[in-house]
Amino acid sequence: QSVAVLGAPFSRGQKRRGVEHGPKVIRDAGLIDRLSGLDYSVHDFGDLNFHYPEKDEPYMDVKSPRTVGGANKKLSTAVSRAVGAGHTLVMLGGDHSLGLGSAAGHAQQCPDLCLIWVDAHPDLNTPLTSPSGNLHGQPVAFMLKELQNKVPDLPGFSWAKPFLSCRDLVYIGLRDVDPGEYQIMKDLGIQYFTMRDIDRLGIQRVMEVTLDHLMARKQRPIHLSFDIDAFDPLLAPATGTPVNGGLTYREGMYLTEEIHNTGLLSVMDLVEVNPVLGASDEAVQATASLAVDVIASSLGQTREGYVLPSESK
Ligand SMILES: N[C@@H](CC/C=C/[B-](O)(O)O)C(=O)O
Ligand SMILES: [Mn+2]
Ligand SMILES: [Mn+2]
């Protein structure tokens, strides 16, 4: 089993500087060693270099459309190549606008993929409903086939063809949903679990229903797009849009263990770690090492322990 790591140091999907340093702090928290310890052969593809066009005027109040669109097009090519080469891929963000390029590239290789979006936010605004104009709040809108009559042609996004049906998406961890996003989730009947649902049902039942919803008809590759702000800000303070009342550490570990146990995880994103926003070094370290724990758990690290590979006789 081989796992590839690809850094996407990119921040223009939102306004706060610093999230472009996410890949570095996650690597510095020991990601590669942790994955090597899980007896994967680990291929570190390094970080993508992104192009920043001189002129990139807002379009209908959407900021940096050409820069964000171009970055995601480049990312989709890199992700498609890595998956095509047979790797399980870990994409390190960077802001969550990158979820579009990552999932689009994955879908080029695995058109039947399903998407599990773990996040305080649905990131489902269209350019018309976005309250901020920030594209890290809009990636999912560009993926959904059922939404295309609602999404205008944004400069830089002509390459982005919708590839996902709304029944192939599940949200977990929602607690900060804009009116436009709520309307779309209701209109399209998207399956979602808010933090209230997790309180009511418990994470075990949420995962059971999630995986049944996505896999009942047939098993298919999973794209896990994990926004670190899904966790409670007390656990993950160094992030750009913190929202109180998030996932506990144990809920995050159970969630990712269940995804690993399907044996179907193909690509995962770990985004929105912003080391500049931690109030102290400890806060940054805590957020970065939580990111490493999430990735390791998604790839098979267990809380119950493991048997050492038998010494070769
Ligand atoms: N819904 C807000 C916040 C978006 C949050 C994006 B994040 O989930 O990637 O942190 C917006 O559209 O501006
Ligand atoms: Mn997000
Ligand atoms: Mn978020």
Side-chain angles (χ1 to χ4, degrees):
Q1 253 289 23
S2 80
V3 66
V5 174
L6 176 65
F10 186 73
S11 69
R12 298 298 179 81
Q14 48 85 64
K15 299 183 183 71
R16 308 180 79 167
R17 291 293 151 258
V19 71
E20 68 276 15
H21 302 303
K24 174 169 176 15
V25 291
I26 295 173
R27 282 201 177 89
D28 289 354
L31 176 64
I32 303 301
D33 287 347
R34 284 281 290 282
L35 298 184
S36 307
L38 294 175
D39 77 14
Y40 285 104
S41 69
V42 184
H43 305 261
D44 189 346
F45 288 174
D47 291 352
L48 287 174
N49 291 310
F50 296 110
H51 171 64
Y52 295 86
E54 306 301 307
K55 286 186 61 56
D56 192 5
E57 294 309 304
Y59 182 88
M60 302 162 52
D61 286 340
V62 173
K63 317 286 186 302
S64 312
R66 297 162 194 81
T67 307
V68 176
N72 276 283
K73 182 174 187 334
K74 181 165 190 175
L75 177 60
S76 69
T77 303
V79 170
S80 178
R81 194 176 298 139
V83 175
H87 299 292
T88 297
L89 180 69
V90 178
M91 190 280 286
L92 305 177
D95 70 65
H96 219 167
S97 65
L98 296 165
L100 172 61
S102 182
H106 190 186
Q108 277 173 21
Q109 298 292 337
C110 308
D112 60 338
L113 68 78
C114 58
L115 176 60
I116 301 176
W117 199 272
V118 182
D119 200 325
H121 314 91
D123 298 354
L124 185 52
N125 278 301
T126 72
L128 301 170
T129 69
S130 170
S132 64
N134 296 335
L135 277 161
H136 75 153
Q138 305 177 45
V140 183
F142 289 89
M143 302 178 193
L144 292 174
K145 296 173 185 170
E146 295 87 350
L147 259 192
Q148 287 327 298
N149 60 340
K150 295 271 196 308
V151 178
D153 298 335
L154 217 53
F157 286 75
S158 56
W159 62 274
K161 303 294 172 228
F163 54 86
L164 193 71
S165 165
C166 59
R167 65 174 175 277
D168 297 326
L169 162 67
V170 175
Y171 285 114
I172 301 176
L174 300 185
R175 55 189 187 276
D176 182 5
V177 179
D178 295 329
E181 296 175 309
Y182 185 71
Q183 187 68 57
I184 291 167
M185 291 198 304
K186 288 299 174 190
D187 289 351
L188 298 186
I190 291 173
Q191 175 74 60
Y192 62 86
F193 296 97
T194 65
M195 290 310 301
R196 173 180 167 77
D197 294 319
I198 293 174
D199 289 337
R200 283 185 321 119
L201 301 175
I203 193 66
Q204 184 269 336
R205 180 74 184 134
V206 164
M207 294 313 293
E208 207 172 287
V209 178
T210 294
L211 294 173
D212 182 63
H213 175 88
L214 293 171
M215 304 290 172
R217 284 195 323 280
K218 74 183 181 81
Q219 305 242 309
R220 47 235 271 245
I222 293 173
H223 187 107
L224 170 62
S225 203
F226 202 115
D227 186 328
I228 201 72
D229 73 27
F231 280 107
D232 192 282
L234 294 176
L235 290 172
T239 192
T241 47
V243 185
N244 285 339
L247 292 176
T248 64
Y249 183 84
R250 290 162 48 188
E251 287 166 340
M253 291 304 110
Y254 185 86
L255 184 162
T256 46
E257 286 163 352
E258 287 301 287
I259 288 176
H260 170 73
N261 291 342
T262 64
L264 294 163
L265 181 64
S266 174
V267 174
M268 77 174 290
D269 311 321
L270 197 297
V271 297
E272 298 282 358
V273 172
N274 185 335
V276 163
L277 299 179
S280 65
D281 271 1
E282 291 74 25
V284 176
Q285 278 315 311
T287 308
S289 68
L290 177 60
V292 175
D293 289 355
V294 166
I295 296 166
S297 181
S298 300
L299 292 173
Q301 174 155 341
T302 68
R303 289 179 278 178
E304 70 177 330
Y306 59 94
V307 176
L308 278 173
S310 58
E311 305 299 308
S312 46
K313 293 286 171 283

